[in-house]
CSV table of all heavy atoms in Angstrom, one decimal:
chain,number,residue,atom,x,y,z
A,316,SER,N,1.1,8.3,-11.2
A,316,SER,CA,0.6,7.3,-12.2
A,316,SER,C,-0.6,7.6,-12.9
A,316,SER,O,-1.3,6.8,-13.6
A,316,SER,CB,0.3,6.0,-11.4
A,316,SER,OG,1.6,5.4,-10.7
A,317,LYS,N,-0.9,8.9,-12.9
A,317,LYS,CA,-2.1,9.3,-14.0
A,317,LYS,C,-1.7,9.0,-15.3
A,317,LYS,O,-0.6,9.4,-15.9
A,317,LYS,CB,-2.3,10.8,-13.7
A,317,LYS,CG,-3.1,11.1,-12.5
A,317,LYS,CD,-3.6,12.6,-12.4
A,317,LYS,CE,-4.7,12.8,-11.4
A,317,LYS,NZ,-5.2,14.1,-11.4
A,318,GLY,N,-2.7,8.5,-16.1
A,318,GLY,CA,-2.4,8.1,-17.6
A,318,GLY,C,-1.6,7.0,-17.9
A,318,GLY,O,-1.2,6.7,-18.9
A,319,VAL,N,-1.2,6.2,-16.7
A,319,VAL,CA,-0.4,5.1,-16.9
A,319,VAL,C,-1.3,3.9,-17.2
A,319,VAL,O,-2.1,3.6,-16.3
A,319,VAL,CB,0.6,4.9,-15.6
A,319,VAL,CG1,1.4,3.6,-15.8
A,319,VAL,CG2,1.6,6.1,-15.5
A,320,ARG,N,-0.9,3.1,-18.1
A,320,ARG,CA,-1.6,1.8,-18.4
A,320,ARG,C,-0.6,0.7,-18.9
A,320,ARG,O,0.3,0.9,-19.6
A,320,ARG,CB,-2.6,2.0,-19.6
A,320,ARG,CG,-3.4,0.7,-19.9
A,320,ARG,CD,-4.5,1.1,-20.8
A,320,ARG,NE,-5.3,-0.1,-21.1
A,320,ARG,CZ,-6.2,-0.3,-22.1
A,320,ARG,NH1,-6.6,0.8,-22.9
A,320,ARG,NH2,-6.9,-1.5,-22.2
A,321,ARG,N,-0.9,-0.3,-18.3
A,321,ARG,CA,-0.1,-1.6,-18.6
A,321,ARG,C,-1.0,-2.4,-19.6
A,321,ARG,O,-2.2,-2.6,-19.5
A,321,ARG,CB,0.3,-2.5,-17.4
A,321,ARG,CG,1.1,-3.7,-17.7
A,321,ARG,CD,1.3,-4.5,-16.4
A,321,ARG,NE,1.8,-5.9,-16.7
A,321,ARG,CZ,2.1,-6.7,-15.8
A,321,ARG,NH1,1.7,-6.6,-14.6
A,321,ARG,NH2,2.8,-7.9,-16.1
A,322,VAL,N,-0.3,-2.8,-20.8
A,322,VAL,CA,-1.0,-3.5,-21.7
A,322,VAL,C,-0.1,-4.9,-22.1
A,322,VAL,O,1.1,-4.7,-22.3
A,322,VAL,CB,-1.2,-2.7,-23.0
A,322,VAL,CG1,-2.0,-3.5,-24.0
A,322,VAL,CG2,-1.8,-1.4,-22.6
A,323,THR,N,-0.8,-5.9,-22.2
A,323,THR,CA,0.0,-7.1,-22.3
A,323,THR,C,-0.6,-8.0,-23.6
A,323,THR,O,-1.7,-8.3,-23.7
A,323,THR,CB,-0.2,-8.2,-21.1
A,323,THR,OG1,0.3,-7.5,-20.0
A,323,THR,CG2,0.6,-9.4,-21.3
A,324,ASP,N,0.3,-7.9,-24.6
A,324,ASP,CA,0.0,-8.7,-25.8
A,324,ASP,C,-1.2,-8.1,-26.6
A,324,ASP,O,-2.2,-9.0,-27.0
A,324,ASP,CB,-0.1,-10.2,-25.5
A,324,ASP,CG,1.3,-10.7,-25.1
A,324,ASP,OD1,2.3,-10.4,-25.6
A,324,ASP,OD2,1.2,-11.6,-24.2
A,325,ASP,N,-1.4,-6.9,-26.6
A,325,ASP,CA,-2.7,-6.3,-27.2
A,325,ASP,C,-2.2,-5.0,-27.9
A,325,ASP,O,-2.5,-3.9,-27.3
A,325,ASP,CB,-3.8,-6.0,-26.1
A,325,ASP,CG,-5.1,-5.7,-26.7
A,325,ASP,OD1,-5.1,-5.3,-28.0
A,325,ASP,OD2,-6.2,-5.8,-26.1
A,326,ALA,N,-1.8,-5.2,-29.1
A,326,ALA,CA,-1.2,-4.0,-29.7
A,326,ALA,C,-2.2,-2.9,-30.1
A,326,ALA,O,-2.0,-1.7,-30.0
A,326,ALA,CB,-0.5,-4.4,-31.0
A,327,GLU,N,-3.4,-3.4,-30.3
A,327,GLU,CA,-4.5,-2.5,-30.6
A,327,GLU,C,-4.9,-1.7,-29.4
A,327,GLU,O,-5.2,-0.5,-29.5
A,327,GLU,CB,-5.8,-3.3,-31.0
A,327,GLU,CG,-6.9,-2.5,-31.6
A,327,GLU,CD,-8.1,-3.2,-32.0
A,327,GLU,OE1,-7.9,-4.5,-32.3
A,327,GLU,OE2,-9.2,-2.7,-32.2
A,328,ALA,N,-4.9,-2.3,-28.1
A,328,ALA,CA,-5.2,-1.5,-27.0
A,328,ALA,C,-4.1,-0.5,-26.7
A,328,ALA,O,-4.4,0.5,-26.3
A,328,ALA,CB,-5.4,-2.4,-25.9
A,329,ALA,N,-2.9,-0.9,-26.9
A,329,ALA,CA,-1.9,-0.1,-26.7
A,329,ALA,C,-1.8,1.1,-27.6
A,329,ALA,O,-1.5,2.3,-27.1
A,329,ALA,CB,-0.4,-0.9,-26.8
Side-chain angles (χ1 to χ4, degrees):
S316 297
K317 281 192 173 182
V319 176
R320 183 176 177 187
R321 179 183 176 184
V322 183
T323 304
D324 297 324
D325 191 339
E327 185 176 344

